[in-house]
Amino acid sequence: MLKRTILFFLLSVAFYGYSQENHDKRLLERYSNEELTSMQNNNPEEYEIIVHALKVGISIGDIQDGKGKEIVYNGELDKDPSLDHTYISLGLELKDDAYQYYKFKGTNKMVIVRPKNYITKIK
């Protein structure tokens, strides 16, 4: 009975440790496993935002000239817009209450970075 209890305890600890390290690989470009596990445990709202932002944090599209007011760009990116990007792969930071707009160098493409506090409202 004691052996079973010890075995159950060790397996439980192993499975718990493994589940804590099961982070989206795209996050590992910016964060370590330890940072992500700590954020997941201590600041789950922030963790949810950065994970969900991988899917909905940015939009890439054509630059539309002459549609309403002119966009003020935050900068220019030297990346291929045809690749599958995230805000992390583009080296961008999410900001509260601020949309960000970047041009892709040498193309007619742009990326829109959504505000951090808006990310969880997008399905």
Side-chain angles (χ1 to χ4, degrees):
M1 181 68 173
L2 181 60
K3 287 181 183 180
R4 286 185 184 177
T5 304
I6 292 172
L7 180 62
F8 177 74
F9 176 74
L10 291 175
L11 288 175
S12 297
V13 170
F15 285 127
Y16 179 75
Y18 175 75
S19 69
Q20 297 301 310
E21 299 293 321
N22 197 13
H23 304 292
D24 190 306
K25 288 178 175 62
R26 298 172 292 177
L27 292 171
L28 297 174
E29 292 178 43
R30 181 169 291 168
Y31 304 98
S32 70
N33 266 320
E34 294 78 21
E35 290 172 313
L36 291 170
T37 300
S38 176
M39 187 185 310
Q40 189 176 32
N41 293 331
N42 301 323
N43 194 352
E45 298 84 16
E46 179 74 11
Y47 184 79
E48 179 185 347
I49 290 169
I50 67 168
V51 169
H52 193 53
L54 293 171
K55 187 168 72 169
V56 302
I58 65 170
S59 293
I60 296 174
D62 293 328
I63 295 173
Q64 303 292 320
D65 291 328
K67 296 229 177 188
K69 67 178 186 174
E70 286 297 315
I71 295 175
V72 177
Y73 291 97
N74 298 82
E76 200 170 63
L77 302 172
D78 193 14
K79 303 273 185 174
D80 182 353
S82 65
L83 298 177
D84 189 24
H85 286 292
T86 67
Y87 69 99
I88 293 175
S89 69
L90 293 173
L92 303 174
E93 296 289 331
L94 301 173
K95 297 180 181 179
D96 282 328
D97 299 317
Y99 280 89
Q100 301 169 72
Y101 305 92
Y102 293 88
K103 292 181 182 180
F104 283 99
K105 190 176 186 177
T107 71
N108 190 34
K109 299 280 188 184
M110 66 178 281
V111 62
I112 300 169
V113 185
R114 293 184 177 89
K116 186 176 188 177
N117 55 325
Y118 184 67
I119 298 293
T120 55
K121 296 176 185 173
I122 303 169
K123 296 297 175 196

